[in-house]
Coordinates of all heavy atoms in Angstrom, one line a residue:
V6 N 1.5 6.0 1.6 CA 0.6 6.2 2.7 C -0.9 6.2 2.2 O -1.8 5.6 2.7 CB 0.8 7.5 3.5 CG1 -0.3 7.8 4.5 CG2 2.1 7.5 4.2
S7 N -1.1 6.8 1.0 CA -2.4 6.9 0.5 C -3.0 5.5 0.1 O -4.1 5.2 0.2 CB -2.5 7.8 -0.7 OG -2.2 9.1 -0.3
V8 N -2.1 4.6 -0.4 CA -2.5 3.3 -0.8 C -3.0 2.5 0.4 O -4.0 1.8 0.3 CB -1.3 2.5 -1.5 CG1 -1.7 1.1 -1.8 CG2 -0.9 3.2 -2.8
I9 N -2.3 2.7 1.5 CA -2.7 2.0 2.7 C -4.0 2.6 3.3 O -4.9 1.9 3.7 CB -1.6 2.0 3.7 CG1 -0.4 1.1 3.2 CG2 -2.0 1.4 5.1 CD1 0.9 1.3 3.9
R10 N -4.0 3.9 3.3 CA -5.2 4.7 3.9 C -6.5 4.4 3.1 O -7.5 4.1 3.6 CB -4.9 6.1 3.9 CG -6.1 6.9 4.5 CD -5.8 8.4 4.6 NE -4.7 8.6 5.5 CZ -3.8 9.6 5.4 NH1 -3.8 10.4 4.4 NH2 -2.9 9.8 6.4
Y11 N -6.4 4.5 1.7 CA -7.6 4.4 0.9 C -7.8 3.1 0.2 O -8.8 2.8 -0.4 CB -7.7 5.5 -0.1 CG -7.6 6.9 0.5 CD1 -6.5 7.7 0.2 CD2 -8.6 7.4 1.3 CE1 -6.4 9.0 0.8 CE2 -8.5 8.6 1.9 CZ -7.4 9.4 1.6 OH -7.3 10.7 2.2
E12 N -6.8 2.3 0.3 CA -6.7 0.9 -0.3 C -6.8 0.9 -1.8 O -6.7 -0.2 -2.4 CB -7.8 0.0 0.3 CG -7.6 -0.2 1.8 CD -8.5 -1.2 2.4 OE1 -9.2 -1.9 1.6 OE2 -8.5 -1.3 3.6
R13 N -6.9 2.0 -2.5 CA -6.8 2.1 -3.9 C -6.5 3.6 -4.3 O -7.1 4.5 -3.7 CB -8.0 1.6 -4.7 CG -9.2 2.4 -4.6 CD -10.4 1.8 -5.3 NE -10.5 0.4 -4.9 CZ -11.5 -0.4 -5.3 NH1 -12.4 0.0 -6.1 NH2 -11.5 -1.6 -4.9
V14 N -5.6 3.8 -5.3 CA -5.2 5.2 -5.7 C -5.0 5.2 -7.2 O -4.4 4.2 -7.7 CB -3.9 5.6 -4.9 CG1 -3.4 6.9 -5.4 CG2 -4.1 5.6 -3.5
Q15 N -5.4 6.2 -7.8 CA -5.1 6.4 -9.3 C -3.9 7.2 -9.4 O -3.8 8.3 -8.8 CB -6.3 7.1 -10.0 CG -7.5 6.2 -10.1 CD -8.6 6.9 -10.9 OE1 -8.4 7.9 -11.5 NE2 -9.7 6.2 -11.0
T16 N -2.9 6.8 -10.2 CA -1.7 7.5 -10.4 C -1.1 7.1 -11.7 O -1.7 6.3 -12.5 CB -0.7 7.2 -9.2 OG1 0.5 8.0 -9.3 CG2 -0.3 5.7 -9.1
T17 N 0.1 7.6 -12.0 CA 0.8 7.2 -13.2 C 1.4 5.8 -13.1 O 1.6 5.3 -12.0 CB 1.9 8.2 -13.6 OG1 2.9 8.2 -12.6 CG2 1.3 9.5 -13.9
E18 N 1.6 5.1 -14.2 CA 2.2 3.8 -14.1 C 3.5 3.7 -13.5 O 3.8 2.8 -12.7 CB 2.2 3.2 -15.5 CG 2.6 1.7 -15.6 CD 2.5 1.2 -17.0 OE1 2.2 1.9 -17.9 OE2 2.7 -0.1 -17.1
A19 N 4.4 4.7 -13.8 CA 5.7 4.7 -13.2 C 5.7 4.8 -11.7 O 6.4 4.1 -11.0 CB 6.5 5.8 -13.8
K20 N 4.8 5.7 -11.2 CA 4.7 5.8 -9.7 C 4.2 4.6 -9.1 O 4.6 4.2 -8.0 CB 3.9 7.1 -9.4 CG 4.5 8.4 -9.6 CD 3.6 9.5 -9.2 CE 4.2 10.9 -9.6 NZ 3.3 12.0 -9.2
A21 N 3.2 4.0 -9.7 CA 2.6 2.8 -9.1 C 3.6 1.6 -9.0 O 3.6 0.9 -8.0 CB 1.4 2.4 -10.0
K22 N 4.4 1.5 -10.1 CA 5.4 0.4 -10.0 C 6.5 0.7 -9.0 O 7.0 -0.2 -8.3 CB 6.0 0.3 -11.4 CG 5.2 -0.4 -12.4 CD 5.8 -0.6 -13.7 CE 5.0 -1.3 -14.7 NZ 5.6 -1.4 -16.0
A23 N 6.8 2.0 -8.8 CA 7.8 2.4 -7.8 C 7.3 2.1 -6.4 O 8.0 1.6 -5.5 CB 8.1 3.8 -7.9
I24 N 6.0 2.4 -6.1 CA 5.5 2.2 -4.7 C 5.0 0.8 -4.4 O 4.8 0.5 -3.2 CB 4.4 3.2 -4.3 CG1 3.2 3.1 -5.2 CG2 5.0 4.6 -4.4 CD1 2.0 3.9 -4.8
S25 N 4.8 0.0 -5.4 CA 4.2 -1.3 -5.2 C 5.1 -2.2 -4.3 O 4.7 -2.8 -3.4 CB 4.0 -2.0 -6.6 OG 3.5 -3.3 -6.4
G26 N 6.4 -2.2 -4.6 CA 7.3 -2.9 -3.8 C 7.4 -2.5 -2.3 O 7.5 -3.3 -1.4
R27 N 7.4 -1.2 -2.2 CA 7.4 -0.6 -0.8 C 6.2 -1.0 0.0 O 6.3 -1.3 1.2 CB 7.6 0.9 -0.9 CG 7.8 1.5 0.4 CD 8.2 3.0 0.3 NE 8.3 3.6 1.6 CZ 8.4 4.8 1.9 NH1 8.3 5.7 0.9 NH2 8.6 5.3 3.1
V28 N 5.0 -0.9 -0.6 CA 3.8 -1.3 0.1 C 3.8 -2.8 0.4 O 3.4 -3.2 1.5 CB 2.5 -1.0 -0.8 CG1 1.3 -1.6 -0.2 CG2 2.4 0.5 -1.0
E29 N 4.3 -3.7 -0.5 CA 4.5 -5.1 -0.2 C 5.3 -5.3 1.0 O 5.0 -6.2 1.9 CB 5.0 -5.8 -1.4 CG 4.2 -5.7 -2.7 CD 3.3 -6.9 -2.9 OE1 3.5 -7.9 -2.2 OE2 2.4 -6.7 -3.7
K30 N 6.5 -4.6 1.1 CA 7.4 -4.8 2.2 C 6.8 -4.4 3.5 O 7.0 -5.0 4.6 CB 8.7 -4.1 1.9 CG 9.5 -4.7 0.9 CD 10.8 -3.9 0.6 CE 11.5 -4.5 -0.6 NZ 12.7 -3.8 -0.9
V31 N 6.0 -3.3 3.5 CA 5.4 -2.8 4.7 C 4.3 -3.8 5.2 O 4.2 -4.0 6.4 CB 4.8 -1.4 4.5 CG1 4.0 -0.9 5.7 CG2 6.0 -0.4 4.3
I32 N 3.6 -4.3 4.3 CA 2.5 -5.3 4.7 C 3.2 -6.6 5.2 O 2.7 -7.1 6.2 CB 1.6 -5.6 3.5 CG1 0.8 -4.3 3.2 CG2 0.7 -6.7 3.9 CD1 -0.1 -4.5 2.0
T33 N 4.3 -7.0 4.6 CA 5.0 -8.2 5.1 C 5.5 -7.9 6.5 O 5.4 -8.8 7.4 CB 6.1 -8.5 4.2 OG1 5.6 -8.7 2.9 CG2 6.8 -9.8 4.6
L34 N 6.0 -6.7 6.8 CA 6.4 -6.4 8.1 C 5.3 -6.4 9.1 O 5.4 -6.9 10.2 CB 7.1 -5.0 8.2 CG 8.6 -4.8 8.0 CD1 8.9 -3.4 7.9 CD2 9.3 -5.5 9.1
A35 N 4.2 -5.9 8.7 CA 3.0 -5.8 9.6 C 2.4 -7.2 9.9 O 1.9 -7.4 11.0 CB 1.9 -4.9 9.0
K36 N 2.6 -8.1 9.0 CA 2.1 -9.5 9.2 C 2.9 -10.1 10.4 O 2.3 -11.0 11.1 CB 2.3 -10.3 7.9 CG 1.2 -10.1 6.9 CD 1.4 -10.8 5.7 CE 1.8 -12.3 5.9 NZ 2.0 -13.0 4.6
R37 N 4.1 -9.7 10.6 CA 4.9 -10.3 11.7 C 4.2 -9.9 13.0 O 4.1 -10.7 13.9 CB 6.3 -9.8 11.7 CG 7.2 -10.6 10.7 CD 8.6 -10.3 10.9 NE 9.1 -9.3 11.9 CZ 10.1 -8.6 11.7 NH1 10.8 -8.6 10.6 NH2 10.5 -7.7 12.6
G38 N 3.8 -8.6 13.1 CA 3.0 -8.2 14.2 C 3.8 -7.9 15.5 O 3.2 -7.6 16.5
D39 N 5.1 -8.1 15.6 CA 5.8 -7.9 16.8 C 6.2 -6.5 17.0 O 6.0 -5.6 16.1 CB 7.0 -8.8 16.9 CG 8.0 -8.7 15.8 OD1 7.7 -7.9 14.8 OD2 9.1 -9.3 15.8
L40 N 6.8 -6.2 18.1 CA 7.2 -4.8 18.4 C 8.2 -4.2 17.5 O 8.2 -3.1 17.1 CB 7.7 -4.7 19.9 CG 8.1 -3.3 20.4 CD1 6.9 -2.4 20.3 CD2 8.6 -3.4 21.8
S41 N 9.2 -5.1 17.1 CA 10.2 -4.7 16.2 C 9.6 -4.3 14.8 O 10.0 -3.3 14.2 CB 11.2 -5.8 16.0 OG 12.2 -5.5 15.0
A42 N 8.7 -5.1 14.3 CA 8.0 -4.8 13.1 C 7.2 -3.5 13.2 O 7.3 -2.7 12.2 CB 7.1 -5.9 12.7
R43 N 6.5 -3.3 14.3 CA 5.8 -2.0 14.5 C 6.7 -0.8 14.5 O 6.4 0.2 13.8 CB 5.0 -2.1 15.8 CG 4.0 -0.9 15.9 CD 3.2 -1.0 17.1 NE 2.1 -2.0 16.9 CZ 0.9 -1.8 16.4 NH1 0.6 -0.6 16.1 NH2 0.0 -2.7 16.3
R44 N 7.8 -0.9 15.1 CA 8.8 0.2 15.1 C 9.4 0.5 13.8 O 9.6 1.6 13.4 CB 9.9 -0.1 16.1 CG 9.4 0.0 17.6 CD 10.5 -0.2 18.5 NE 10.1 0.0 19.9 CZ 10.7 -0.5 21.0 NH1 11.8 -1.1 20.9 NH2 10.2 -0.2 22.2
A45 N 9.6 -0.6 13.0 CA 10.1 -0.4 11.6 C 9.1 0.3 10.7 O 9.4 1.2 9.9 CB 10.5 -1.8 11.0
V46 N 7.8 0.0 10.9 CA 6.8 0.6 10.1 C 6.6 2.1 10.5 O 6.4 3.0 9.7 CB 5.4 -0.2 10.2 CG1 4.3 0.6 9.6 CG2 5.6 -1.5 9.6
V47 N 6.6 2.3 11.9 CA 6.5 3.7 12.4 C 7.7 4.5 11.9 O 7.5 5.7 11.6 CB 6.4 3.7 13.9 CG1 6.6 5.1 14.4 CG2 5.1 3.1 14.3
A48 N 8.9 3.9 11.7 CA 10.0 4.7 11.2 C 9.8 5.1 9.8 O 10.3 6.1 9.3 CB 11.3 3.8 11.3
Q49 N 9.0 4.3 9.0 CA 8.8 4.6 7.6 C 7.6 5.7 7.5 O 7.6 6.4 6.5 CB 8.4 3.4 6.8 CG 9.6 2.5 6.6 CD 9.4 1.4 5.6 OE1 8.3 1.3 5.0 NE2 10.3 0.5 5.5
F50 N 6.7 5.6 8.4 CA 5.6 6.5 8.4 C 5.5 7.3 9.7 O 4.6 7.0 10.5 CB 4.2 5.8 8.1 CG 4.2 5.0 6.9 CD1 3.9 3.6 7.0 CD2 4.5 5.5 5.7 CE1 3.9 2.8 5.8 CE2 4.5 4.7 4.5 CZ 4.2 3.4 4.6
P51 N 6.4 8.2 10.0 CA 6.5 8.7 11.4 C 5.3 9.6 11.8 O 5.0 9.7 13.0 CB 7.8 9.5 11.4 CG 8.0 9.8 9.9 CD 7.5 8.7 9.2
N52 N 4.7 10.3 10.9 CA 3.6 11.2 11.2 C 2.2 10.7 10.9 O 1.3 11.4 10.7 CB 3.8 12.6 10.4 CG 5.1 13.2 10.9 OD1 5.5 13.2 12.0 ND2 5.8 13.9 9.9
E53 N 2.1 9.4 10.7 CA 0.8 8.7 10.3 C 0.4 7.6 11.3 O 0.4 6.5 10.9 CB 1.0 8.2 8.9 CG 1.3 9.2 7.8 CD 0.2 10.2 7.6 OE1 -1.0 9.9 7.9 OE2 0.5 11.2 7.0
P54 N 0.1 7.9 12.5 CA -0.2 6.9 13.5 C -1.5 6.1 13.1 O -1.6 4.9 13.4 CB -0.4 7.6 14.8 CG -0.7 9.0 14.5 CD 0.0 9.3 13.2
L55 N -2.5 6.8 12.5 CA -3.7 6.1 12.1 C -3.5 5.1 11.0 O -4.1 4.0 10.9 CB -4.8 7.1 11.7 CG -5.2 8.1 12.8 CD1 -6.2 9.1 12.2 CD2 -5.8 7.3 13.9
V56 N -2.5 5.4 10.1 CA -2.2 4.5 9.0 C -1.5 3.3 9.5 O -1.8 2.1 9.1 CB -1.3 5.2 7.9 CG1 -0.8 4.2 6.9 CG2 -2.1 6.3 7.2
V57 N -0.6 3.5 10.5 CA 0.1 2.3 11.1 C -0.9 1.5 11.9 O -0.9 0.2 11.8 CB 1.2 2.9 12.1 CG1 1.8 1.7 12.8 CG2 2.3 3.6 11.3
Q58 N -1.8 2.1 12.6 CA -2.9 1.3 13.3 C -3.7 0.5 12.3 O -4.0 -0.7 12.6 CB -3.7 2.2 14.1 CG -4.8 1.5 14.9 CD -5.6 2.5 15.8 OE1 -5.4 3.7 15.8 NE2 -6.5 1.9 16.5
K59 N -4.1 1.1 11.2 CA -5.0 0.4 10.2 C -4.2 -0.7 9.6 O -4.7 -1.8 9.4 CB -5.4 1.4 9.1 CG -6.2 0.7 8.1 CD -6.8 1.7 7.1 CE -7.6 0.9 6.0 NZ -8.2 1.8 5.1
L60 N -2.9 -0.5 9.4 CA -2.1 -1.5 8.8 C -2.0 -2.8 9.7 O -2.1 -3.9 9.2 CB -0.7 -1.0 8.5 CG 0.3 -1.8 7.8 CD1 -0.2 -2.1 6.4 CD2 1.7 -1.1 7.7
F61 N -1.8 -2.6 11.0 CA -1.6 -3.7 11.9 C -3.0 -4.3 12.3 O -3.0 -5.5 12.5 CB -0.8 -3.3 13.1 CG 0.6 -3.3 12.9 CD1 1.3 -2.1 12.4 CD2 1.4 -4.4 13.2 CE1 2.6 -2.1 12.2 CE2 2.8 -4.4 13.0 CZ 3.4 -3.3 12.5
D62 N -4.0 -3.5 12.4 CA -5.3 -4.0 12.9 C -6.2 -4.6 11.8 O -7.0 -5.5 12.0 CB -6.0 -2.9 13.7 CG -5.3 -2.5 14.9 OD1 -4.4 -3.2 15.4 OD2 -5.6 -1.4 15.4
E63 N -6.2 -4.0 10.6 CA -7.1 -4.4 9.6 C -6.4 -5.1 8.4 O -6.9 -6.2 8.0 CB -7.9 -3.2 9.0 CG -8.7 -2.5 10.0 CD -9.4 -1.2 9.5 OE1 -9.5 -1.1 8.2 OE2 -9.7 -0.4 10.3
I64 N -5.4 -4.5 7.9 CA -4.8 -5.0 6.6 C -4.0 -6.3 6.8 O -4.1 -7.3 6.1 CB -4.0 -3.9 5.9 CG1 -4.9 -2.8 5.5 CG2 -3.2 -4.4 4.7 CD1 -4.3 -1.6 5.0
A65 N -3.1 -6.3 7.8 CA -2.2 -7.4 8.1 C -3.0 -8.7 8.4 O -2.7 -9.8 7.8 CB -1.2 -7.1 9.2
P66 N -4.0 -8.7 9.2 CA -4.8 -9.9 9.4 C -5.5 -10.4 8.2 O -5.7 -11.6 8.0 CB -5.8 -9.5 10.5 CG -5.2 -8.4 11.2 CD -4.4 -7.6 10.2
K67 N -5.9 -9.5 7.3 CA -6.6 -9.9 6.1 C -5.7 -10.7 5.2 O -6.1 -11.6 4.4 CB -7.1 -8.6 5.3 CG -7.9 -8.9 4.2 CD -8.7 -7.6 3.7 CE -7.8 -6.6 3.1 NZ -8.5 -5.5 2.4
Y68 N -4.4 -10.4 5.2 CA -3.4 -11.1 4.3 C -2.6 -12.1 5.1 O -1.5 -12.5 4.7 CB -2.5 -10.1 3.7 CG -3.2 -9.1 2.8 CD1 -3.2 -7.8 3.0 CD2 -3.9 -9.6 1.7 CE1 -3.8 -6.9 2.2 CE2 -4.5 -8.7 0.8 CZ -4.5 -7.4 1.1 OH -5.2 -6.5 0.3
A69 N -3.0 -12.6 6.2 CA -2.3 -13.6 7.1 C -2.0 -14.9 6.3 O -0.9 -15.4 6.5 CB -3.0 -13.9 8.3
D70 N -2.9 -15.3 5.5 CA -2.6 -16.6 4.8 C -2.0 -16.4 3.4 O -1.7 -17.4 2.7 CB -4.0 -17.3 4.6 CG -5.0 -16.5 3.8 OD1 -4.8 -15.3 3.8 OD2 -5.9 -17.1 3.3
R71 N -1.7 -15.2 3.0 CA -1.1 -14.9 1.7 C 0.4 -14.5 1.9 O 0.7 -13.7 2.8 CB -1.9 -13.7 1.1 CG -1.6 -13.5 -0.3 CD -2.5 -12.3 -0.8 NE -2.4 -12.2 -2.2 CZ -3.4 -12.4 -3.0 NH1 -4.6 -12.7 -2.5 NH2 -3.2 -12.3 -4.3
S72 N 1.3 -15.1 1.1 CA 2.7 -14.9 1.3 C 3.2 -13.6 0.5 O 4.2 -13.0 0.9 CB 3.5 -16.1 0.9 OG 3.3 -16.3 -0.5
S73 N 2.6 -13.3 -0.6 CA 3.0 -12.1 -1.4 C 1.9 -11.7 -2.3 O 0.8 -12.4 -2.3 CB 4.3 -12.4 -2.1 OG 4.1 -13.4 -3.1
G74 N 2.1 -10.7 -3.1 CA 1.1 -10.3 -4.1 C -0.1 -9.6 -3.5 O -1.2 -9.9 -3.7
F75 N 0.3 -8.5 -2.6 CA -0.8 -7.8 -1.9 C -1.4 -6.7 -2.7 O -2.4 -6.1 -2.4 CB -0.2 -7.3 -0.6 CG 0.5 -8.3 0.2 CD1 1.8 -8.1 0.5 CD2 -0.2 -9.4 0.7 CE1 2.5 -9.1 1.3 CE2 0.5 -10.3 1.5 CZ 1.8 -10.2 1.8
T76 N -0.7 -6.3 -3.8 CA -1.1 -5.1 -4.6 C -1.5 -5.6 -6.0 O -0.9 -6.6 -6.5 CB -0.1 -4.0 -4.7 OG1 1.1 -4.5 -5.2 CG2 0.2 -3.4 -3.3
R77 N -2.3 -4.8 -6.7 CA -2.7 -5.1 -8.1 C -2.6 -3.7 -8.8 O -3.1 -2.7 -8.3 CB -4.1 -5.6 -8.1 CG -4.7 -5.8 -9.5 CD -6.1 -6.2 -9.5 NE -6.3 -7.4 -8.7 CZ -7.4 -7.6 -7.9 NH1 -8.4 -6.7 -7.9 NH2 -7.5 -8.7 -7.2
I78 N -2.1 -3.7 -10.0 CA -2.1 -2.5 -10.8 C -3.0 -2.8 -12.0 O -2.8 -3.7 -12.8 CB -0.6 -2.2 -11.3 CG1 0.2 -1.9 -10.1 CG2 -0.6 -1.1 -12.3 CD1 1.7 -1.7 -10.4
V79 N -4.0 -1.9 -12.2 CA -4.9 -2.0 -13.3 C -4.8 -0.8 -14.2 O -4.9 0.3 -13.7 CB -6.4 -2.1 -12.7 CG1 -7.4 -2.2 -13.9 CG2 -6.5 -3.3 -11.8
R80 N -4.6 -1.0 -15.5 CA -4.5 0.1 -16.4 C -5.8 0.7 -16.7 O -6.8 0.0 -16.9 CB -3.8 -0.3 -17.7 CG -2.4 -0.6 -17.5 CD -1.7 -0.9 -18.8 NE -0.3 -1.0 -18.7 CZ 0.3 -2.2 -18.4 NH1 -0.4 -3.3 -18.3 NH2 1.6 -2.3 -18.2
L81 N -5.9 2.1 -16.6 CA -7.2 2.8 -16.8 C -7.2 3.6 -18.2 O -8.3 3.9 -18.6 CB -7.4 3.8 -15.7 CG -7.6 3.1 -14.3 CD1 -7.7 4.2 -13.3 CD2 -8.7 2.2 -14.3
G82 N -6.1 3.8 -18.7 CA -6.0 4.6 -20.0 C -4.9 5.7 -19.9 O -4.0 5.5 -19.2
Q83 N -5.1 6.7 -20.7 CA -4.1 7.8 -20.8 C -4.7 9.1 -20.3 O -5.9 9.3 -20.5 CB -3.6 7.9 -22.2 CG -2.8 6.7 -22.7 CD -2.2 7.0 -24.0 OE1 -2.7 7.7 -24.8 NE2 -1.1 6.3 -24.3
R84 N -3.9 9.9 -19.7 CA -4.3 11.2 -19.2 C -4.4 12.1 -20.4 O -3.5 12.1 -21.3 CB -3.2 11.7 -18.2 CG -3.6 13.0 -17.5 CD -2.8 13.2 -16.3 NE -1.4 13.1 -16.5 CZ -0.5 12.9 -15.5 NH1 -0.9 12.9 -14.2 NH2 0.8 12.8 -15.7
R85 N -5.4 13.0 -20.4 CA -5.6 13.9 -21.6 C -4.5 14.9 -21.8 O -4.1 15.1 -22.9 CB -6.9 14.6 -21.4 CG -8.1 13.8 -21.6 CD -9.3 14.7 -21.6 NE -9.4 15.3 -22.9 CZ -10.5 15.8 -23.4 NH1 -11.6 15.7 -22.7 NH2 -10.6 16.3 -24.6
G86 N -4.0 15.4 -20.8 CA -3.0 16.5 -21.0 C -1.7 16.1 -21.6 O -1.2 16.7 -22.5
D87 N -1.1 15.0 -21.1 CA 0.2 14.6 -21.5 C 0.3 13.2 -22.0 O 1.4 12.7 -22.3 CB 1.3 14.9 -20.5 CG 1.0 14.2 -19.2 OD1 -0.1 13.5 -19.1 OD2 1.8 14.2 -18.3
A88 N -0.8 12.5 -22.1 CA -0.9 11.1 -22.5 C -0.1 10.2 -21.6 O 0.4 9.1 -22.1 CB -0.5 11.0 -24.0
A89 N 0.1 10.5 -20.4 CA 0.7 9.6 -19.5 C -0.2 8.4 -19.2 O -1.4 8.6 -19.1 CB 1.1 10.3 -18.2
S90 N 0.3 7.3 -19.0 CA -0.5 6.1 -18.7 C -1.0 6.1 -17.3 O -0.2 6.2 -16.3 CB 0.4 4.8 -18.9 OG -0.4 3.7 -18.7
I91 N -2.3 6.1 -17.1 CA -2.9 6.2 -15.7 C -3.3 4.8 -15.3 O -3.9 4.0 -16.1 CB -4.1 7.1 -15.7 CG1 -3.7 8.5 -16.1 CG2 -4.8 7.1 -14.4 CD1 -2.8 9.2 -15.1
V92 N -3.0 4.4 -14.1 CA -3.3 3.1 -13.6 C -3.9 3.3 -12.2 O -3.9 4.4 -11.6 CB -2.1 2.2 -13.4 CG1 -1.4 1.9 -14.8 CG2 -1.0 2.8 -12.5
Q93 N -4.5 2.2 -11.7 CA -5.1 2.2 -10.3 C -4.3 1.1 -9.6 O -4.3 0.0 -10.0 CB -6.6 1.9 -10.4 CG -7.2 1.9 -9.0 CD -8.7 1.8 -9.1 OE1 -9.3 2.1 -10.1 NE2 -9.3 1.4 -8.0
I94 N -3.7 1.5 -8.5 CA -3.0 0.5 -7.7 C -3.9 0.3 -6.5 O -4.4 1.3 -5.9 CB -1.6 1.0 -7.2 CG1 -0.9 -0.1 -6.4 CG2 -1.6 2.3 -6.6 CD1 0.6 0.2 -6.2
E95 N -4.2 -1.0 -6.2 CA -5.1 -1.3 -5.1 C -4.6 -2.5 -4.4 O -3.8 -3.3 -4.9 CB -6.5 -1.6 -5.7 CG -6.5 -2.7 -6.7 CD -7.8 -2.8 -7.4 OE1 -8.6 -1.8 -7.4 OE2 -8.1 -3.8 -8.0
L96 N -5.1 -2.6 -3.1 CA -4.8 -3.8 -2.3 C -5.7 -4.9 -2.8 O -6.9 -4.7 -2.9 CB -4.9 -3.5 -0.9 CG -4.0 -2.4 -0.3 CD1 -4.3 -2.2 1.2 CD2 -2.5 -2.8 -0.5
V97 N -5.2 -6.1 -3.0 CA -6.0 -7.2 -3.4 C -7.0 -7.6 -2.3 O -6.7 -7.7 -1.2 CB -5.1 -8.4 -3.8 CG1 -5.9 -9.6 -4.2 CG2 -4.2 -8.0 -4.9

């Protein structure tokens, strides 16, 4: 939800890789734009009506001509406490 809401989030590399595929699938659904796609997205984000609205009104039209590759993962370095690899996942 945060990736769609803020369009970029800093997190660990493992979490970014895990959510990248899910974000790609949700954007692909939103690109269809029909009622069935909207219901499928609402089922994944049931308590986030503003995120669903932003996805269908702003994000999906922006990627209408793009078939895939909606997210980008940029390495930022390591976290001081445990040396975990920190990355930024963002919408292209």
Side-chain angles (χ1 to χ4, degrees):
V6 172
S7 295
V8 173
I9 296 168
R10 180 179 292 148
Y11 303 115
E12 298 186 11
R13 71 179 53 174
V14 176
Q15 289 183 7
T16 185
T17 62
E18 186 174 7
K20 287 181 185 179
K22 286 182 179 181
I24 64 172
S25 178
R27 187 170 178 194
V28 171
E29 299 264 346
K30 288 178 185 177
V31 169
I32 293 174
T33 303
L34 267 175
K36 280 176 47 179
R37 281 194 353 217
D39 58 356
L40 182 60
S41 175
R43 185 174 289 271
R44 286 180 177 164
V46 172
V47 169
Q49 290 189 9
F50 306 123
N52 297 324
E53 300 291 340
L55 297 177
V56 170
V57 173
Q58 182 179 0
K59 179 176 181 175
L60 186 62
F61 278 88
D62 295 343
E63 297 175 22
I64 295 174
K67 187 165 71 170
Y68 297 118
D70 58 338
R71 192 177 190 117
S72 61
S73 65
F75 309 119
T76 59
R77 173 187 307 145
I78 297 176
V79 179
R80 288 189 174 89
L81 299 176
Q83 292 183 335
R84 188 164 50 197
R85 285 190 79 159
D87 59 356
S90 180
I91 297 296
V92 298
Q93 180 172 340
I94 182 169
E95 57 188 16
L96 297 178
V97 177

